[in-house]
Amino acid sequence: MRFFTTLLYTLVLSSTGFAQVDSVVVSGRIRNLSARLYREAPTVLIGRNNILQASRELIKPAPLNVDGTFRVSIPLIYTQEELYFNYGRISTAFLAAPGTLTIDLNADSLFTVAVPFRFGGVNAQVNQQYARYKAFEASYPDKPDAKKLSNDISGAVTNTSFVLLNQAFQKTFRAFAAKEKPYPLLARWIEADNRYAAASFLYDRLIVGEDQRQPTALSDSISLTNGIILTASRTQAMNRFATFANRQIVSKASQQAQRGLAVNKLSGLILRYGKNLTDTEKARLQEFAETNAARNADLRFLTDLVRRNNEVIQSLVNYEFLIQESRKQYDDDRREYMTAFWLVNSFPILTLSQDKLLYGYARPQLINRQLGESLDELYRLEVKDSVVMTQAIATLDKSGEATTELEVASGVFVTRDKSGRTTGSALFDNVINANRGKVVYVLFTSNESEAGRQASLDAQRLRNTYDARDLTIVYLPMLTSDEQPVWVEAAARDKLVGDHLLLSSSQLDDIAGRLRYDDLPSATIINRTGKIIKRNAPLPADLDEARKAIDKGL
């Protein structure tokens, strides 16, 4: 299963800092568009993937004109990319390449014909045949069943496991190919997609199991260089591989008698990024960097320097250690992928300054063009609105340890007491009392998990369905005191309008008994008079159910 994080983005390309990328212009028309349908869905959405983050689908909106036409330019990093057309309840994947591509539909037959799409431009014949294949697949009676496959392919993950699973995933396409000869590009697209789906299936087994062996057939099925087509399935498989590899690297490193960076690498990092180093310290570091040797007393000296520059150096040390260990187990292609994957997955739990530091360190190490551009794309999204993020932190820092409904960005209010003198219950009651007369939707969440980050974004969609006088969102993130700036920056960047209650672990424990949350993320609904009416309420992604629960408090 693929989990999507949907966000609207504007790609900013400049001649300094980021390379120019190719693009495809997607245009088309929804014919016979009625006024009612236009009011219900005035925008077409075009989505695409990034090979470093399977959980995030990058979406660009294309507003419909009154005659049903639309036009949007989509950046492309790979030679061929699987994109996604979404309009209301209608959606399809299609294959895009640089140039122009058209998609036409007839509103009168959207739900009455098996293939409502008509493609033109680049890959027109392939996309039209793909639409026919998906219609065939929907009615094919013997599609692969995940539960049955889990039972059939049990035990250790082997080369045979992969071969059998790949054959099972290819079965539907083989049946279609017997009925209609596929274009070569279509065959490459679907067969690769199925192969990656099989790889993801087995990597999931390896991740949750005890077996750390990676069969050759499975390992060979994924690579940065074995395909020109970027699909959701390929992205998912690469992510699952990197997750497995991370588990493997950490496990093996924990068994080593001596763990840590090589002396020359650590010395080089301190020389490059350390602050306020004396000439004597620089000379000793230069010697260590050249000789890669140090005595025990020298190691204490290095440790003291790391501690002195902890905020800057420690994140680099942790990151470089993973890269160092990956070199021992994987080839350059896979190591390079993990270098970028680890960084992207660290973005949500690092401050803006740490993101910039690690990006500047990692980016020159990426030789693969597509991988570098993929990292550039996600980094741009992470640091967008950096001015707003920086101002939010400055406002928070000026306020001192205790704040009550401090507006750090437009509509983003922070309440906290880092000193711990105010209990969690008292801080919670202050926020609830300030919102008397409204229903309060409390979201207990975290920026460390994809589910938590997505729930935070979804809560804004829920909020936007109500008048501001009727509903307010209270974010209750699970954080340590040191992690509070990360949350505030993300709230400012993502425009998480509402109250943000930043509590320490002991302050969270103080209110745990009242909220009695079962999971993370979790939600609680409080009515206009301040009474809890629903614990473990529907999460904001379940919009209809969440609204039903909220409406009971209005």
Side-chain angles (χ1 to χ4, degrees):
M1 181 180 292
R2 183 173 182 228
F3 298 91
F4 295 95
T5 299
T6 303
L7 59 133
L8 305 183
Y9 73 100
T10 301
L11 188 67
V12 180
L13 298 175
S14 68
S15 58
T16 58
F18 301 114
Q20 299 287 337
V21 298
D22 290 326
S23 63
V24 59
V25 175
V26 180
S27 61
R29 183 178 183 184
I30 301 176
R31 301 181 185 280
N32 301 320
L33 182 66
S34 67
R36 179 185 61 82
L37 188 59
Y38 179 79
R39 286 194 301 270
E40 291 177 354
T43 305
V44 164
L45 301 177
I46 305 296
R48 54 182 291 270
N49 304 289
N50 185 294
I51 198 168
L52 293 173
Q53 199 165 40
S55 60
R56 174 180 279 180
E57 183 183 358
L58 304 171
I59 291 183
K60 200 164 187 182
L64 284 175
N65 298 313
V66 292
D67 63 352
T69 58
F70 62 90
R71 179 184 173 91
V72 65
S73 178
I74 305 294
L76 298 176
I77 293 175
Y78 284 78
T79 306
Q80 301 276 355
E81 289 197 23
E82 183 180 82
L83 303 187
Y84 312 97
F85 172 92
N86 293 277
Y87 179 70
R89 291 178 291 147
I90 296 292
S91 64
T92 187
F94 61 97
L95 199 61
T100 59
L101 186 151
T102 62
I103 308 174
D104 285 358
L105 303 88
N106 191 321
D108 291 339
S109 59
L110 287 179
F111 304 102
T112 59
V113 297
V115 182
F117 308 99
R118 292 293 176 267
F119 291 92
V122 296
N123 296 335
Q125 292 177 315
V126 169
N127 285 322
Q128 201 63 57
Q129 191 175 47
Y130 180 79
R132 294 195 296 273
Y133 165 69
K134 296 304 288 185
F136 174 86
E137 181 186 49
S139 60
Y140 187 66
D142 197 19
K143 290 186 287 289
D145 179 84
K147 185 175 181 180
K148 184 177 184 300
L149 288 173
S150 294
N151 293 330
D152 292 345
I153 305 176
S154 57
V157 175
T158 64
N159 287 328
T160 302
S161 302
F162 178 76
V163 171
L164 292 175
L165 195 60
N166 187 37
Q167 288 174 350
F169 278 106
Q170 301 289 1
K171 187 175 182 180
T172 305
F173 181 63
R174 296 284 183 262
F176 175 80
K179 174 177 173 289
E180 178 181 336
K181 184 178 180 180
Y183 289 103
L185 181 57
L186 180 79
R188 289 180 65 183
W189 177 12
I190 297 175
E191 288 172 354
D193 219 37
N194 290 330
R195 184 177 69 250
Y196 289 126
S200 292
F201 188 99
L202 292 180
Y203 274 119
D204 281 337
R205 287 264 301 276
L206 288 173
I207 289 167
V208 300
E210 297 298 325
D211 193 353
Q212 293 191 17
R213 294 170 297 175
Q214 186 179 190
T216 304
L218 176 59
S219 178
D220 290 347
S221 70
I222 61 161
S223 171
L224 291 174
T225 57
N226 71 351
I228 62 170
I229 305 174
L230 178 65
T231 66
S233 186
R234 182 182 184 186
T235 300
Q236 181 71 19
M238 292 300 298
N239 278 208
R240 302 316 288 156
F241 153 73
T243 301
F244 164 75
N246 182 73
R247 171 178 172 268
Q248 190 179 47
I249 288 168
V250 171
S251 176
K252 288 188 176 182
S254 67
Q255 299 169 16
Q256 296 174 8
Q258 292 184 336
R259 297 188 296 273
L261 284 185
V263 170
N264 60 342
K265 179 62 69 172
L266 178 59
S267 301
L269 288 176
I270 299 173
L271 268 173
R272 181 177 175 184
Y273 296 101
K275 297 179 180 179
N276 302 319
L277 297 175
T278 66
D279 290 341
T280 301
E281 289 169 339
K282 290 178 182 178
R284 290 185 69 183
L285 288 169
Q286 188 63 47
E287 180 184 353
F288 298 150
E290 292 172 356
T291 63
N292 193 27
R295 300 166 300 174
N296 287 336
D298 296 326
L299 295 179
R300 288 194 293 271
F301 163 74
L302 291 171
T303 300
D304 288 341
L305 287 182
V306 170
R307 188 179 296 114
R308 203 169 81 195
N309 292 272
N310 189 59
E311 183 178 351
V312 175
I313 298 297
Q314 194 58 59
S315 57
L316 287 167
V317 169
N318 294 339
Y319 184 54
E320 180 57 40
F321 177 73
L322 289 172
I323 297 173
Q324 171 184 285
E325 295 303 304
S326 70
R327 289 191 181 97
K328 301 175 183 178
Q329 301 179 42
Y330 293 100
D331 60 26
D332 289 343
D333 278 349
R334 286 169 173 77
R335 179 200 55 75
E336 191 171 348
Y337 180 82
M338 287 185 285
T339 297
F341 176 81
W342 284 325
L343 178 56
V344 166
N345 280 271
S346 296
F347 280 157
I349 58 174
L350 298 175
T351 63
L352 179 64
S353 61
Q354 289 171 325
D355 286 342
K356 291 180 177 179
L357 175 71
L358 285 178
Y359 171 80
Y361 180 74
R363 182 61 177 90
Q365 301 184 44
L366 303 182
I367 299 172
N368 182 282
R369 179 186 65 80
Q370 290 98 339
L371 201 58
E373 290 176 3
S374 298
L375 177 60
D376 293 343
E377 179 176 59
L378 295 178
Y379 176 72
R380 281 193 293 270
L381 292 172
E382 197 64 28
V383 300
K384 68 175 183 177
D385 297 328
S386 58
V387 172
V388 174
M389 296 163 70
T390 302
Q391 290 175 344
I393 293 300
T395 301
L396 186 67
D397 289 343
K398 288 178 184 178
S399 68
E401 291 189 330
T403 63
T404 301
E405 295 189 75
L406 173 71
E407 189 171 21
V408 297
S410 180
V412 178
F413 298 90
V414 171
T415 296
R416 69 171 184 174
D417 185 353
K418 286 185 69 175
S419 70
R421 287 188 289 269
T422 309
T423 66
S425 289
L427 291 167
F428 183 77
D429 288 339
N430 288 343
V431 172
I432 300 305
N433 290 334
N435 287 286
R436 285 293 178 96
K438 304 177 185 179
V439 172
V440 178
Y441 186 88
V442 181
L443 182 65
F444 181 57
T445 186
S446 169
N447 60 350
E448 291 193 1
S449 71
E450 184 62 45
R453 294 191 293 272
Q454 185 60 49
S456 299
L457 296 171
D458 290 339
Q460 290 301 299
R461 186 164 61 99
L462 175 63
R463 171 188 169 275
N464 291 338
T465 64
Y466 288 91
D467 190 290
R469 295 168 294 184
D470 293 327
L471 177 72
T472 192
I473 305 294
V474 173
Y475 289 95
L476 185 57
M478 187 171 70
L479 305 164
T480 66
S481 295
D482 291 339
E483 293 168 340
Q484 290 184 5
V486 179
W487 179 267
V488 171
E489 287 179 346
R493 179 194 63 222
D494 297 332
K495 299 177 176 59
L496 302 183
V497 174
D499 283 285
H500 296 255
L501 185 55
L502 309 185
L503 303 182
S504 66
S505 297
S506 60
Q507 289 168 332
L508 278 171
D509 290 341
D510 190 44
I511 64 171
R514 293 170 63 181
L515 299 182
R516 298 203 292 271
Y517 36 78
D518 289 341
D519 207 349
L520 186 71
S522 182
T524 297
I525 298 174
I526 300 173
N527 68 10
R528 292 181 185 271
T529 62
K531 179 182 177 181
I532 294 177
I533 60 172
K534 182 66 176 177
R535 293 182 176 87
N536 295 305
L539 290 174
D542 191 354
L543 186 63
D544 292 339
E545 291 302 312
R547 282 181 55 86
K548 288 178 185 177
I550 290 169
D551 289 347
K552 292 178 180 178
L554 291 175

